[in-house]
Amino acid sequence: MESTPGSIASRRKFLRYLALSPALASPLLMRRSLHSVLASNAAPTPPDTLPSPKPITSADQALDVMEFEPLAREALPPAHFAYLATGVDDDATVRLNHEAYQHIQIRSRRLINVEKLDTSVQLFGTTWETPIFLCPVSAMKAFHPDAEVGVARAAAKKRHLQILSTVASSSVEEVTAARGAPVWQQLYPTNDWAVTRAIIKRAEAAGSPALVFTVDLHENSNRETIQRGRRIDDRDCSACHESGFAAYVRRKPMFDGLDVSHVTGLYAPNFTWDFVKRLKDATRMKLLIKGIVTREDAEIALTHGVDGIVVSNHGGRAEESLRPTIDCLPEVVAAVKGKIPVLVDGGIRRGTDIFKALALGATAVGFGRPQGWGLAAFGQSGVEAVLQIFRRELETVMRQAGTPSIRDITKASVISAAS
Ligand SMILES: Cc1cc2nc3c(=O)[nH]c(=O)nc-3n(C[C@H](O)[C@H](O)[C@H](O)COP(=O)(O)O)c2cc1C
């Protein structure tokens, strides 16, 4: 079909409408396909009823968590937005993490009393109102001056579990104070045991009940999107951060007062399961391993006395495995046989995603990037809104599916190639 200038203009207008549409705005799903459609002559069917929506102006107007993403893109310098968005290589694992949920169907049961819902879960003896937790996300000052403290205030208001990154822009003491309760501490151990030990002791002193050792990120993962973001960012970055790894570590509050002269990386390439034993011996905190994606490693983790597993691929920021975490979850759950909790993250953008992960055996379900979107767009209230939307959507699908409590959500609640 021939395209006239008028038809191209209206097609572009429609595609912009789609990009802003809450139902379709997931950039992970849409951005590339949108660009490829913009570049092609394919003529989509225009909507016949809705005018173009105006961007929302307060967090409580958001219909879904994806609505915060274009606002964050607008609010942030290109390099900072690219830091949040980036995956590795072609960012395909980032997209697949979410897209994989589209291939799982929900089997709804009818005529079940869902007047009262119980969304609570237990983790290490603590009851949480919902299974939804905030993943560790580093350097959140890049998204908003309140950084992890703003996230902690939102987590406090909405009563959610927060995991703090080792390389956060805020210290564990500040975040614990803002949360009004201890947070879990994520651990990048570095190659220097003295530094590792000091970070562990600091988290313990702040009351952290759990240490989350991230094992999925070697140095120099190929993050091209962030490099492209830097290319188009014409600000002088050295005004805020000196380049070089030593300067990077020194800027991080969890390394304050430590001798970092021997630290050459956040993770050492020669770590093996012996290091897990060393960590177990060094702390009374519960030890979780974040980044397990296979049954073999889940079994080894059990033999090392690990207290919990987070099935994660670092939100597609480590290797381009093309293996969504929701596809990894069932084999890990099968290996663990209910002996320890199995948490999962990656691509969670809807309450139905949370529901599906629970159905496939997750004890709790976390999210990363939407924290950054909400924070960049509206600060603390943006993160609160993200938490509120996830909870509302989870409750909605629980009612619809006839599952009044989390334990009612089982394998039988979904149809999945992996189940
Ligand atoms: C900007 C950014 C920073 C992150 N920093 C850390 C970190 O410091 N430690 C860690 O274990 N994971 C980190 N992650 C991974 C998240 O904890 C989580 O596994 C991932 O974001 C989940 O995928 P999602 O963003 O699709 O929800 C980071 C993720 C993002 C997006």
PDB file of all heavy atoms in Angstrom, residues 83-84 135-138 143 165 167 186 188 214 290 312 314-315 317 345-349 366-370, ligand 1:
ATOM      1  N   TYR A  83      21.230   3.874  32.162  1.00  0.00           N
ATOM      2  CA  TYR A  83      21.742   3.024  33.253  1.00  0.00           C
ATOM      3  C   TYR A  83      20.620   2.155  33.828  1.00  0.00           C
ATOM      4  O   TYR A  83      20.813   0.971  34.101  1.00  0.00           O
ATOM      5  CB  TYR A  83      22.363   3.897  34.354  1.00  0.00           C
ATOM      6  CG  TYR A  83      22.751   3.098  35.567  1.00  0.00           C
ATOM      7  CD1 TYR A  83      23.739   2.117  35.484  1.00  0.00           C
ATOM      8  CD2 TYR A  83      22.110   3.282  36.788  1.00  0.00           C
ATOM      9  CE1 TYR A  83      24.076   1.343  36.574  1.00  0.00           C
ATOM     10  CE2 TYR A  83      22.434   2.508  37.882  1.00  0.00           C
ATOM     11  CZ  TYR A  83      23.420   1.541  37.767  1.00  0.00           C
ATOM     12  OH  TYR A  83      23.739   0.768  38.857  1.00  0.00           O
ATOM     13  N   LEU A  84      19.461   2.740  33.970  1.00  0.00           N
ATOM     14  CA  LEU A  84      18.316   2.009  34.509  1.00  0.00           C
ATOM     15  C   LEU A  84      17.813   0.959  33.502  1.00  0.00           C
ATOM     16  O   LEU A  84      17.469  -0.160  33.861  1.00  0.00           O
ATOM     17  CB  LEU A  84      17.206   3.020  34.842  1.00  0.00           C
ATOM     18  CG  LEU A  84      15.910   2.502  35.438  1.00  0.00           C
ATOM     19  CD1 LEU A  84      16.161   1.742  36.727  1.00  0.00           C
ATOM     20  CD2 LEU A  84      14.952   3.672  35.708  1.00  0.00           C
ATOM     21  N   CYS A 135      13.637  -5.159  45.027  1.00  0.00           N
ATOM     22  CA  CYS A 135      14.969  -5.715  44.752  1.00  0.00           C
ATOM     23  C   CYS A 135      16.052  -4.676  45.040  1.00  0.00           C
ATOM     24  O   CYS A 135      15.793  -3.470  44.987  1.00  0.00           O
ATOM     25  CB  CYS A 135      15.085  -6.054  43.260  1.00  0.00           C
ATOM     26  SG  CYS A 135      14.031  -7.391  42.743  1.00  0.00           S
ATOM     27  N   PRO A 136      17.275  -5.133  45.257  1.00  0.00           N
ATOM     28  CA  PRO A 136      18.368  -4.169  45.371  1.00  0.00           C
ATOM     29  C   PRO A 136      18.617  -3.480  44.031  1.00  0.00           C
ATOM     30  O   PRO A 136      18.759  -4.143  42.998  1.00  0.00           O
ATOM     31  CB  PRO A 136      19.565  -5.041  45.763  1.00  0.00           C
ATOM     32  CG  PRO A 136      19.222  -6.423  45.299  1.00  0.00           C
ATOM     33  CD  PRO A 136      17.726  -6.532  45.382  1.00  0.00           C
ATOM     34  N   VAL A 137      18.624  -2.178  44.057  1.00  0.00           N
ATOM     35  CA  VAL A 137      18.931  -1.384  42.853  1.00  0.00           C
ATOM     36  C   VAL A 137      19.999  -0.371  43.263  1.00  0.00           C
ATOM     37  O   VAL A 137      19.799   0.389  44.210  1.00  0.00           O
ATOM     38  CB  VAL A 137      17.671  -0.670  42.318  1.00  0.00           C
ATOM     39  CG1 VAL A 137      18.035   0.264  41.171  1.00  0.00           C
ATOM     40  CG2 VAL A 137      16.629  -1.686  41.853  1.00  0.00           C
ATOM     41  N   SER A 138      21.124  -0.400  42.569  1.00  0.00           N
ATOM     42  CA  SER A 138      22.263   0.426  42.964  1.00  0.00           C
ATOM     43  C   SER A 138      22.082   1.886  42.550  1.00  0.00           C
ATOM     44  O   SER A 138      21.263   2.197  41.677  1.00  0.00           O
ATOM     45  CB  SER A 138      23.521  -0.121  42.294  1.00  0.00           C
ATOM     46  OG  SER A 138      23.307  -0.214  40.904  1.00  0.00           O
ATOM     47  N   PHE A 143      18.566   8.632  39.963  1.00  0.00           N
ATOM     48  CA  PHE A 143      17.161   8.753  39.544  1.00  0.00           C
ATOM     49  C   PHE A 143      16.414   9.836  40.312  1.00  0.00           C
ATOM     50  O   PHE A 143      15.433  10.387  39.824  1.00  0.00           O
ATOM     51  CB  PHE A 143      16.427   7.412  39.731  1.00  0.00           C
ATOM     52  CG  PHE A 143      17.199   6.232  39.207  1.00  0.00           C
ATOM     53  CD1 PHE A 143      17.344   5.077  39.957  1.00  0.00           C
ATOM     54  CD2 PHE A 143      17.820   6.290  37.958  1.00  0.00           C
ATOM     55  CE1 PHE A 143      18.082   4.003  39.478  1.00  0.00           C
ATOM     56  CE2 PHE A 143      18.559   5.218  37.479  1.00  0.00           C
ATOM     57  CZ  PHE A 143      18.690   4.072  38.244  1.00  0.00           C
ATOM     58  N   SER A 165      21.132  -2.448  48.068  1.00  0.00           N
ATOM     59  CA  SER A 165      22.349  -2.789  47.321  1.00  0.00           C
ATOM     60  C   SER A 165      23.602  -2.386  48.097  1.00  0.00           C
ATOM     61  O   SER A 165      23.627  -1.360  48.778  1.00  0.00           O
ATOM     62  CB  SER A 165      22.327  -2.050  45.977  1.00  0.00           C
ATOM     63  OG  SER A 165      23.599  -2.091  45.378  1.00  0.00           O
ATOM     64  N   VAL A 167      26.135  -1.222  46.660  1.00  0.00           N
ATOM     65  CA  VAL A 167      26.604   0.001  46.016  1.00  0.00           C
ATOM     66  C   VAL A 167      25.463   1.013  45.867  1.00  0.00           C
ATOM     67  O   VAL A 167      25.352   1.737  44.871  1.00  0.00           O
ATOM     68  CB  VAL A 167      27.303  -0.299  44.664  1.00  0.00           C
ATOM     69  CG1 VAL A 167      28.698  -0.816  44.906  1.00  0.00           C
ATOM     70  CG2 VAL A 167      26.531  -1.292  43.817  1.00  0.00           C
ATOM     71  N   GLN A 186      21.991  -6.615  50.469  1.00  0.00           N
ATOM     72  CA  GLN A 186      22.577  -7.348  49.336  1.00  0.00           C
ATOM     73  C   GLN A 186      24.093  -7.231  49.432  1.00  0.00           C
ATOM     74  O   GLN A 186      24.629  -6.212  49.872  1.00  0.00           O
ATOM     75  CB  GLN A 186      22.074  -6.742  48.012  1.00  0.00           C
ATOM     76  CG  GLN A 186      22.615  -7.404  46.763  1.00  0.00           C
ATOM     77  CD  GLN A 186      23.845  -6.702  46.219  1.00  0.00           C
ATOM     78  OE1 GLN A 186      24.075  -5.526  46.489  1.00  0.00           O
ATOM     79  NE2 GLN A 186      24.647  -7.420  45.446  1.00  0.00           N
ATOM     80  N   TYR A 188      27.756  -7.461  47.400  1.00  0.00           N
ATOM     81  CA  TYR A 188      28.809  -7.660  46.403  1.00  0.00           C
ATOM     82  C   TYR A 188      30.080  -7.752  47.238  1.00  0.00           C
ATOM     83  O   TYR A 188      30.518  -6.750  47.815  1.00  0.00           O
ATOM     84  CB  TYR A 188      28.920  -6.453  45.469  1.00  0.00           C
ATOM     85  CG  TYR A 188      27.850  -6.348  44.412  1.00  0.00           C
ATOM     86  CD1 TYR A 188      27.196  -5.140  44.204  1.00  0.00           C
ATOM     87  CD2 TYR A 188      27.541  -7.420  43.586  1.00  0.00           C
ATOM     88  CE1 TYR A 188      26.234  -5.010  43.216  1.00  0.00           C
ATOM     89  CE2 TYR A 188      26.570  -7.295  42.595  1.00  0.00           C
ATOM     90  CZ  TYR A 188      25.929  -6.088  42.413  1.00  0.00           C
ATOM     91  OH  TYR A 188      24.982  -5.956  41.438  1.00  0.00           O
ATOM     92  N   THR A 214      24.888 -11.781  45.781  1.00  0.00           N
ATOM     93  CA  THR A 214      24.610 -11.803  44.329  1.00  0.00           C
ATOM     94  C   THR A 214      25.761 -12.483  43.598  1.00  0.00           C
ATOM     95  O   THR A 214      26.914 -12.069  43.731  1.00  0.00           O
ATOM     96  CB  THR A 214      24.419 -10.368  43.802  1.00  0.00           C
ATOM     97  OG1 THR A 214      23.314  -9.792  44.485  1.00  0.00           O
ATOM     98  CG2 THR A 214      24.161 -10.345  42.310  1.00  0.00           C
ATOM     99  N   LYS A 290      21.525 -14.864  45.330  1.00  0.00           N
ATOM    100  CA  LYS A 290      20.731 -14.226  44.274  1.00  0.00           C
ATOM    101  C   LYS A 290      21.425 -14.435  42.929  1.00  0.00           C
ATOM    102  O   LYS A 290      22.610 -14.101  42.792  1.00  0.00           O
ATOM    103  CB  LYS A 290      20.601 -12.722  44.571  1.00  0.00           C
ATOM    104  CG  LYS A 290      19.867 -11.910  43.507  1.00  0.00           C
ATOM    105  CD  LYS A 290      19.607 -10.490  44.024  1.00  0.00           C
ATOM    106  CE  LYS A 290      18.823  -9.640  43.049  1.00  0.00           C
ATOM    107  NZ  LYS A 290      19.623  -9.056  41.970  1.00  0.00           N
ATOM    108  N   SER A 312      17.160 -15.228  39.645  1.00  0.00           N
ATOM    109  CA  SER A 312      17.330 -13.892  39.051  1.00  0.00           C
ATOM    110  C   SER A 312      18.404 -13.968  37.978  1.00  0.00           C
ATOM    111  O   SER A 312      19.345 -14.751  38.086  1.00  0.00           O
ATOM    112  CB  SER A 312      17.764 -12.903  40.148  1.00  0.00           C
ATOM    113  OG  SER A 312      18.020 -11.622  39.613  1.00  0.00           O
ATOM    114  N   HIS A 314      19.600 -10.858  37.112  1.00  0.00           N
ATOM    115  CA  HIS A 314      20.010  -9.468  37.275  1.00  0.00           C
ATOM    116  C   HIS A 314      19.205  -8.549  36.336  1.00  0.00           C
ATOM    117  O   HIS A 314      19.708  -7.546  35.835  1.00  0.00           O
ATOM    118  CB  HIS A 314      21.510  -9.321  37.005  1.00  0.00           C
ATOM    119  CG  HIS A 314      22.204  -8.378  37.953  1.00  0.00           C
ATOM    120  ND1 HIS A 314      22.968  -8.806  39.005  1.00  0.00           N
ATOM    121  CD2 HIS A 314      22.231  -7.023  38.020  1.00  0.00           C
ATOM    122  CE1 HIS A 314      23.455  -7.761  39.660  1.00  0.00           C
ATOM    123  NE2 HIS A 314      23.009  -6.660  39.086  1.00  0.00           N
ATOM    124  N   GLY A 315      17.965  -8.937  36.085  1.00  0.00           N
ATOM    125  CA  GLY A 315      17.138  -8.130  35.180  1.00  0.00           C
ATOM    126  C   GLY A 315      17.734  -8.078  33.781  1.00  0.00           C
ATOM    127  O   GLY A 315      17.590  -7.087  33.068  1.00  0.00           O
ATOM    128  N   ARG A 317      20.850  -7.952  32.974  1.00  0.00           N
ATOM    129  CA  ARG A 317      21.991  -7.031  32.918  1.00  0.00           C
ATOM    130  C   ARG A 317      23.324  -7.756  33.021  1.00  0.00           C
ATOM    131  O   ARG A 317      24.378  -7.112  33.071  1.00  0.00           O
ATOM    132  CB  ARG A 317      21.903  -6.017  34.067  1.00  0.00           C
ATOM    133  CG  ARG A 317      20.689  -5.146  34.009  1.00  0.00           C
ATOM    134  CD  ARG A 317      20.417  -4.487  35.351  1.00  0.00           C
ATOM    135  NE  ARG A 317      21.266  -3.360  35.657  1.00  0.00           N
ATOM    136  CZ  ARG A 317      21.063  -2.131  35.235  1.00  0.00           C
ATOM    137  NH1 ARG A 317      20.038  -1.863  34.452  1.00  0.00           N
ATOM    138  NH2 ARG A 317      21.879  -1.142  35.586  1.00  0.00           N
ATOM    139  N   ASP A 345      12.779 -12.674  40.620  1.00  0.00           N
ATOM    140  CA  ASP A 345      12.571 -11.336  40.062  1.00  0.00           C
ATOM    141  C   ASP A 345      12.891 -11.369  38.574  1.00  0.00           C
ATOM    142  O   ASP A 345      13.359 -12.380  38.052  1.00  0.00           O
ATOM    143  CB  ASP A 345      13.407 -10.269  40.803  1.00  0.00           C
ATOM    144  CG  ASP A 345      14.920 -10.400  40.556  1.00  0.00           C
ATOM    145  OD1 ASP A 345      15.338 -10.904  39.499  1.00  0.00           O
ATOM    146  OD2 ASP A 345      15.695  -9.982  41.438  1.00  0.00           O
ATOM    147  N   GLY A 346      12.604 -10.240  37.898  1.00  0.00           N
ATOM    148  CA  GLY A 346      12.889 -10.134  36.468  1.00  0.00           C
ATOM    149  C   GLY A 346      11.615 -10.006  35.653  1.00  0.00           C
ATOM    150  O   GLY A 346      10.847 -10.954  35.549  1.00  0.00           O
ATOM    151  N   GLY A 347      11.383  -8.799  35.131  1.00  0.00           N
ATOM    152  CA  GLY A 347      10.268  -8.603  34.198  1.00  0.00           C
ATOM    153  C   GLY A 347       8.898  -8.524  34.833  1.00  0.00           C
ATOM    154  O   GLY A 347       7.889  -8.573  34.125  1.00  0.00           O
ATOM    155  N   ILE A 348       8.839  -8.383  36.146  1.00  0.00           N
ATOM    156  CA  ILE A 348       7.535  -8.286  36.816  1.00  0.00           C
ATOM    157  C   ILE A 348       6.966  -6.888  36.564  1.00  0.00           C
ATOM    158  O   ILE A 348       7.528  -5.875  37.002  1.00  0.00           O
ATOM    159  CB  ILE A 348       7.700  -8.527  38.343  1.00  0.00           C
ATOM    160  CG1 ILE A 348       8.259  -9.929  38.618  1.00  0.00           C
ATOM    161  CG2 ILE A 348       6.384  -8.270  39.083  1.00  0.00           C
ATOM    162  CD1 ILE A 348       7.338 -11.071  38.280  1.00  0.00           C
ATOM    163  N   ARG A 349       5.865  -6.840  35.845  1.00  0.00           N
ATOM    164  CA  ARG A 349       5.269  -5.536  35.513  1.00  0.00           C
ATOM    165  C   ARG A 349       3.767  -5.487  35.779  1.00  0.00           C
ATOM    166  O   ARG A 349       3.133  -4.457  35.598  1.00  0.00           O
ATOM    167  CB  ARG A 349       5.501  -5.203  34.021  1.00  0.00           C
ATOM    168  CG  ARG A 349       6.960  -5.171  33.604  1.00  0.00           C
ATOM    169  CD  ARG A 349       7.748  -4.043  34.272  1.00  0.00           C
ATOM    170  NE  ARG A 349       9.147  -4.027  33.888  1.00  0.00           N
ATOM    171  CZ  ARG A 349      10.142  -4.558  34.609  1.00  0.00           C
ATOM    172  NH1 ARG A 349       9.887  -5.121  35.788  1.00  0.00           N
ATOM    173  NH2 ARG A 349      11.394  -4.508  34.180  1.00  0.00           N
ATOM    174  N   GLY A 366       9.941 -10.116  43.334  1.00  0.00           N
ATOM    175  CA  GLY A 366      10.544  -8.777  43.424  1.00  0.00           C
ATOM    176  C   GLY A 366      10.584  -8.052  42.095  1.00  0.00           C
ATOM    177  O   GLY A 366      10.432  -8.642  41.028  1.00  0.00           O
ATOM    178  N   PHE A 367      10.816  -6.753  42.208  1.00  0.00           N
ATOM    179  CA  PHE A 367      10.946  -5.944  40.984  1.00  0.00           C
ATOM    180  C   PHE A 367      12.039  -4.899  41.180  1.00  0.00           C
ATOM    181  O   PHE A 367      12.285  -4.439  42.297  1.00  0.00           O
ATOM    182  CB  PHE A 367       9.607  -5.296  40.617  1.00  0.00           C
ATOM    183  CG  PHE A 367       9.147  -4.251  41.614  1.00  0.00           C
ATOM    184  CD1 PHE A 367       9.438  -2.911  41.421  1.00  0.00           C
ATOM    185  CD2 PHE A 367       8.446  -4.620  42.756  1.00  0.00           C
ATOM    186  CE1 PHE A 367       9.027  -1.955  42.344  1.00  0.00           C
ATOM    187  CE2 PHE A 367       8.041  -3.672  43.682  1.00  0.00           C
ATOM    188  CZ  PHE A 367       8.327  -2.333  43.471  1.00  0.00           C
ATOM    189  N   GLY A 368      12.698  -4.559  40.056  1.00  0.00           N
ATOM    190  CA  GLY A 368      13.800  -3.597  40.087  1.00  0.00           C
ATOM    191  C   GLY A 368      13.461  -2.300  39.387  1.00  0.00           C
ATOM    192  O   GLY A 368      13.162  -1.283  40.024  1.00  0.00           O
ATOM    193  N   ARG A 369      13.453  -2.321  38.050  1.00  0.00           N
ATOM    194  CA  ARG A 369      13.337  -1.068  37.284  1.00  0.00           C
ATOM    195  C   ARG A 369      12.126  -0.211  37.645  1.00  0.00           C
ATOM    196  O   ARG A 369      12.258   1.020  37.690  1.00  0.00           O
ATOM    197  CB  ARG A 369      13.366  -1.367  35.782  1.00  0.00           C
ATOM    198  CG  ARG A 369      14.742  -1.835  35.307  1.00  0.00           C
ATOM    199  CD  ARG A 369      14.754  -2.124  33.823  1.00  0.00           C
ATOM    200  NE  ARG A 369      16.042  -2.629  33.384  1.00  0.00           N
ATOM    201  CZ  ARG A 369      16.415  -3.914  33.462  1.00  0.00           C
ATOM    202  NH1 ARG A 369      15.595  -4.827  33.951  1.00  0.00           N
ATOM    203  NH2 ARG A 369      17.609  -4.289  33.039  1.00  0.00           N
ATOM    204  N   PRO A 370      10.944  -0.816  37.895  1.00  0.00           N
ATOM    205  CA  PRO A 370       9.818   0.079  38.208  1.00  0.00           C
ATOM    206  C   PRO A 370      10.058   0.961  39.442  1.00  0.00           C
ATOM    207  O   PRO A 370       9.460   2.030  39.561  1.00  0.00           O
ATOM    208  CB  PRO A 370       8.654  -0.906  38.427  1.00  0.00           C
ATOM    209  CG  PRO A 370       9.002  -2.076  37.549  1.00  0.00           C
ATOM    210  CD  PRO A 370      10.497  -2.206  37.679  1.00  0.00           C
TER     211      PRO A 370
HETATM  212  C1  LIG B   1      19.615   0.043  37.753  1.00  0.00           C
HETATM  213  C2  LIG B   1      19.725  -1.316  38.370  1.00  0.00           C
HETATM  214  C3  LIG B   1      20.647  -1.542  39.357  1.00  0.00           C
HETATM  215  C4  LIG B   1      20.745  -2.802  39.959  1.00  0.00           C
HETATM  216  N1  LIG B   1      21.629  -2.979  40.978  1.00  0.00           N
HETATM  217  C5  LIG B   1      21.702  -4.196  41.574  1.00  0.00           C
HETATM  218  C6  LIG B   1      22.579  -4.394  42.689  1.00  0.00           C
HETATM  219  O1  LIG B   1      23.264  -3.486  43.135  1.00  0.00           O
HETATM  220  N2  LIG B   1      22.642  -5.633  43.222  1.00  0.00           N
HETATM  221  C7  LIG B   1      21.881  -6.689  42.749  1.00  0.00           C
HETATM  222  O2  LIG B   1      21.964  -7.802  43.263  1.00  0.00           O
HETATM  223  N3  LIG B   1      21.025  -6.498  41.710  1.00  0.00           N
HETATM  224  C8  LIG B   1      20.914  -5.286  41.146  1.00  0.00           C
HETATM  225  N4  LIG B   1      20.041  -5.108  40.118  1.00  0.00           N
HETATM  226  C9  LIG B   1      19.153  -6.221  39.692  1.00  0.00           C
HETATM  227  C10 LIG B   1      17.860  -6.191  40.499  1.00  0.00           C
HETATM  228  O3  LIG B   1      18.095  -6.485  41.847  1.00  0.00           O
HETATM  229  C11 LIG B   1      16.840  -7.198  39.953  1.00  0.00           C
HETATM  230  O4  LIG B   1      17.432  -8.470  39.914  1.00  0.00           O
HETATM  231  C12 LIG B   1      16.330  -6.822  38.561  1.00  0.00           C
HETATM  232  O5  LIG B   1      16.231  -5.422  38.423  1.00  0.00           O
HETATM  233  C13 LIG B   1      14.950  -7.437  38.326  1.00  0.00           C
HETATM  234  O6  LIG B   1      14.517  -7.187  37.033  1.00  0.00           O
HETATM  235  P1  LIG B   1      13.532  -5.995  36.621  1.00  0.00           P
HETATM  236  O7  LIG B   1      14.324  -4.740  36.627  1.00  0.00           O
HETATM  237  O8  LIG B   1      13.078  -6.408  35.273  1.00  0.00           O
HETATM  238  O9  LIG B   1      12.390  -5.951  37.631  1.00  0.00           O
HETATM  239  C14 LIG B   1      19.912  -3.853  39.527  1.00  0.00           C
HETATM  240  C15 LIG B   1      18.959  -3.609  38.533  1.00  0.00           C
HETATM  241  C16 LIG B   1      18.853  -2.359  37.966  1.00  0.00           C
HETATM  242  C17 LIG B   1      17.795  -2.121  36.921  1.00  0.00           C
END
